Amino acid sequence: MAATASQRYLSTRGGAYDLGFEEVVLKGLAADGGLFIPEEIPQLPPDWDSTWREYTFHQLAFEILSLYISPAEVPSADLKDIIARSYGTFRAPDITPLIALDEKNKLYLLELFHDRKGPTFAFKDVALQFLGNLFEYFLMRRNEGKKEKERHHLTVIGATSGDTGSAAIYGLRGKQDVSVFILYPKGKVSPIQEAQMTTVQDENVHNLSVEGSFDDCQDIVKGLFADAEINKTHSLAAVNSINWARILAQITYYFHAYFSLLRSANFVEASKIRFVVPTGNFGDVLAGWFATQMGLQVSKLVIATNSNDILDRFWKTGSYEKHPVSNPSSDESTPLSAFNAAHPSGVKETLSPAMDILVSSNFERLLWYLAFDDSSSSALSQRRHEAGTQVSTFLYSLRTSNAFTVPPALLTAARRTFESHRVSDPETLSTIQTLYHQPLPSSLLSLSHSTSGTLLNNRSSYILDPHTAVGIAAAWRSMEHEPGTHHVALATAHPAKFAAAVDLALGAEKSFEFKDVMPKAFLGLEKRERRVRAVEKGAGMEGVRKIIVEEVAREIRDEAK
């Protein structure tokens, strides 16, 4: 069966077309520096709303992923097996449970951190378990019957602001023919996040602590993918959300949440639904956008940013401007303000560090589709060419002038689906405090799959992590001007991963003790032996490339013994 347009892929910068799913997953980033996207967004079958209504997460994943993956590349039976292995480790029976926080005002929380395989406890497990199994599937197929020197060895590289690193490591640790290198900004991830990554002892896992910001790490990763020298000798693969498979896997939980809401007792047919997404690199909310373009009935996607607000400023002005963030002003002052200085790159350190990102990589994907839809050309190939040229022009301006502005028509189109809100650190703390004291619905208190640490005090207080708190604060603002609309906020991580923020918000509460927040998987984690290499300031891409070449060569020698 020939692949459909939604199962073939192109680069957002116009340098590659008609690529298969396996190729874009293993490449991660296009040779021209662009990101891979489907040549066409598939539309849902006519009866999807009724047929899929009672489907399990696994069944929904199969239906959605099949629209983007040709059975000629991954046969249906194999895809079902990959899905089963990817999501068979989650503690919640429905994988990503939807819970009611405020039934009266129709506020819900989509918990995305229920994978029990390893102590990751973050939403990125949903995508990275899938991606890790895809890598393994494609490598096993390529290496079948081959001897050591003939085997295809994959070098997976990723940059993390906290959660991608541990989720990627637990998805790839110990897998044959794979080396994984995770770059993280030294001192700018939480202690638990760092311990989750660096205490993994598998020989194929390599943690690199980089002097700089997350954007510095991300620039090194992108530079390596564009580097001709290392691409001649190593098969590089991306694990960040620049890898299309990451976005694809996350589409499923928007549909799952939608049907969970429809099946709830309080939902009224034809009610409006908004999803509220804490946003840094734009991947999670972009998955929601793909769901809406496929036909999911969502009235708005609400972007929630912290003080690193390049996306919020874009939706308000149409300008995507990478200007430095000043030192904390009075509205940002917290007891941690001493740590909240702006990095020289313009990134500000906040209580929600996984969102401390200056340039959101996945925004490029949305720009391509906006430019494509805005083209007046009748020929499909010309519209694609114009979109790629437009995106390249925007990004050249960003690189040379630190900013670009989109035409009014593109901004208008972007606003049809999205709105945005910026949430400060004091608002983040206040949100954690407010929800801690808010009475919870009986339906929430009766849940059997609750993660240790999110429900406390005889299961009557809910504890938010700071990123989810940013989302809840944005949801409350949205609810003020959209009363009666169902709001689903995405809960992205367990609160124990961010001890400083949670303790700052709740430490004065007599009923609160941080030890009650800690899952068993976290106990003693920070005391375990660590494996990590430092990348000194100024070492840059050359220094990281040297480490990668050295470590991969050592791994391959050891495997041959």
Side-chain angles (χ1 to χ4, degrees):
M1 181 185 295
T4 64
S6 68
Q7 296 166 341
R8 305 296 295 174
Y9 295 86
L10 55 82
S11 166
T12 52
R13 301 188 192 178
Y17 295 90
D18 197 31
L19 302 176
F21 180 71
E22 179 176 351
E23 186 173 1
V24 303
V25 170
L26 294 181
K27 280 182 177 291
L29 192 69
D32 62 0
L35 305 184
F36 294 119
I37 54 175
E39 294 187 350
E40 181 178 292
I41 299 175
Q43 296 302 293
L44 299 172
D47 57 350
W48 72 276
D49 210 353
S50 56
T51 305
W52 296 2
R53 192 181 183 110
E54 302 298 328
Y55 276 12
T56 65
F57 190 96
H58 292 67
Q59 291 171 316
L60 284 172
F62 176 74
E63 295 293 344
I64 292 162
L65 299 179
S66 296
L67 296 173
Y68 293 93
I69 305 171
S70 170
E73 290 198 81
V74 182
S76 295
D78 292 352
L79 181 57
K80 288 180 179 178
D81 179 65
I82 292 169
I83 291 168
R85 286 188 288 115
S86 299
Y87 304 125
T89 60
F90 282 66
R91 68 179 61 80
D94 44 359
I95 315 301
T96 56
L98 183 73
I99 64 174
L101 283 183
D102 184 346
E103 291 176 334
K104 178 181 177 182
N105 292 302
K106 301 181 175 60
L107 176 61
Y108 299 81
L109 198 63
L110 182 62
E111 291 188 331
L112 301 175
F113 48 82
H114 283 284
D115 186 4
R116 66 173 181 265
K117 183 180 179 182
T120 48
F121 288 85
F123 81 98
K124 295 180 182 182
D125 289 323
V126 177
L128 282 163
Q129 287 295 320
F130 176 66
L131 180 58
N133 285 319
L134 278 178
F135 283 153
E136 184 176 50
Y137 174 81
F138 291 138
L139 285 174
M140 287 180 65
R141 190 163 67 183
R142 290 186 174 202
N143 290 332
E144 187 176 1
K146 292 183 178 179
K147 297 180 180 179
E148 291 297 332
K149 290 185 178 180
E150 301 171 330
R151 297 180 71 84
H152 187 91
H153 190 95
L154 199 63
T155 302
V156 178
I157 307 173
T160 186
S161 55
D163 288 332
T164 289
S166 57
I169 285 167
Y170 280 89
L172 295 169
R173 62 183 300 184
K175 291 192 184 293
Q176 189 177 10
D177 301 313
V178 178
S179 301
V180 55
F181 293 83
I182 298 297
L183 287 67
Y184 68 92
K186 181 180 178 181
K188 296 178 176 65
V189 300
S190 78
I192 285 289
Q193 287 175 315
E194 185 171 24
Q196 286 178 304
M197 295 185 286
T198 58
T199 57
V200 174
Q201 299 298 313
D202 297 72
E203 292 295 320
N204 72 323
V205 172
H206 309 275
N207 287 285
L208 306 182
S209 175
V210 179
E211 290 275 1
S213 68
F214 168 77
D215 290 88
D216 295 327
C217 297
Q218 189 162 248
D219 287 345
I220 291 173
V221 169
K222 290 181 178 178
L224 288 166
F225 277 97
D227 182 64
E229 182 177 337
I230 196 169
N231 278 279
K232 287 178 182 177
T233 57
H234 293 68
S235 297
L236 301 186
V239 75
N240 283 86
S241 57
I242 58 175
N243 193 308
W244 163 248
R246 283 274 305 273
I247 308 299
L248 176 57
Q250 292 170 319
I251 296 173
T252 300
Y253 53 66
Y254 284 91
F255 282 89
H256 187 255
Y258 171 80
F259 285 117
S260 296
L261 192 57
L262 260 61
R263 292 193 298 266
S264 68
N266 293 325
F267 186 79
V268 178
E269 291 291 341
S271 296
K272 292 182 178 179
I273 302 172
R274 287 184 164 214
F275 282 93
V276 187
V277 189
T279 304
N281 218 18
F282 202 70
D284 205 4
V285 74
L286 183 69
W289 180 82
F290 273 99
T292 67
Q293 301 307 295
M294 293 168 67
L296 186 65
Q297 297 159 16
V298 175
S299 66
K300 215 76 162 181
L301 294 167
V302 181
I303 297 164
T305 78
N306 62 17
S307 298
N308 296 292
D309 59 352
I310 190 170
L311 291 169
D312 182 61
R313 287 183 280 114
F314 170 80
W315 257 272
K316 287 179 170 56
T317 67
S319 293
Y320 194 79
E321 186 177 5
K322 191 169 63 170
H323 64 62
V325 180
S326 61
N327 285 329
S329 60
S330 58
D331 76 305
E332 290 289 342
S333 180
T334 73
L336 290 185
S337 290
F339 301 100
N340 287 2
H343 186 270
S345 68
V347 179
K348 182 178 178 181
E349 295 175 44
T350 73
L351 297 175
S352 45
M355 296 158 63
D356 291 348
I357 297 171
L358 190 63
V359 176
S360 303
S361 293
N362 284 291
F363 187 54
E364 178 174 339
R365 287 182 160 119
L366 177 66
L367 285 174
W368 189 93
Y369 285 107
L370 293 176
F372 176 82
D373 289 342
D374 189 54
S375 172
S376 59
S377 299
S378 57
L380 181 62
S381 59
Q382 182 62 24
R383 292 179 70 191
R384 289 174 175 169
H385 173 74
E386 289 176 3
T389 300
Q390 181 76 284
V391 168
S392 296
T393 300
F394 289 149
L395 296 177
Y396 177 78
S397 179
L398 184 65
R399 187 170 65 251
T400 57
S401 305
N402 289 325
F404 64 83
T405 300
V406 301
L410 266 65
L411 180 59
T412 299
R415 286 173 170 169
R416 289 192 193 106
T417 309
F418 297 93
E419 72 175 50
S420 70
H421 296 281
R422 173 187 184 275
V423 178
S424 68
D425 274 355
E427 290 172 307
T428 300
L429 295 175
S430 176
T431 301
I432 296 173
Q433 293 163 351
T434 299
L435 195 64
Y436 180 79
H437 291 287
Q438 179 176 299
L440 298 175
S442 57
S443 59
L444 176 55
L445 301 179
S446 65
L447 290 178
S448 60
H449 61 250
S450 300
T451 302
S452 173
T454 55
L455 290 172
L456 295 182
N457 303 332
N458 298 319
R459 301 169 65 83
S460 62
S461 296
Y462 196 95
I463 313 294
L464 296 172
D465 91 279
H467 306 80
T468 306
V470 170
I472 292 294
W476 285 341
R477 289 190 204 162
S478 175
M479 289 160 63
E480 289 177 1
H481 63 85
E482 285 289 326
T485 295
H486 292 267
H487 284 75
V488 178
L490 274 58
T492 56
H494 190 282
K497 300 188 75 168
F498 305 97
V502 174
D503 200 49
L504 189 60
L506 302 177
E509 300 287 342
K510 292 181 179 180
S511 58
F512 174 80
E513 289 188 61
F514 194 79
K515 65 180 179 63
D516 295 329
V517 177
M518 296 290 281
K520 291 181 180 179
F522 287 6
L523 297 177
L525 188 62
E526 294 180 62
K527 297 179 181 179
R528 296 178 191 171
E529 182 183 352
R530 303 195 180 206
R531 294 180 69 241
V532 61
R533 289 185 66 166
V535 178
E536 301 298 329
K537 191 174 181 65
M541 187 186 77
E542 295 295 330
V544 172
R545 180 172 61 191
K546 182 179 178 181
I547 292 172
I548 290 173
V549 171
E550 173 188 313
E551 293 291 345
V552 171
R554 181 189 58 76
E555 276 188 58
I556 293 175
R557 284 196 307 270
D558 290 347
E559 287 176 0
K561 290 179 181 178

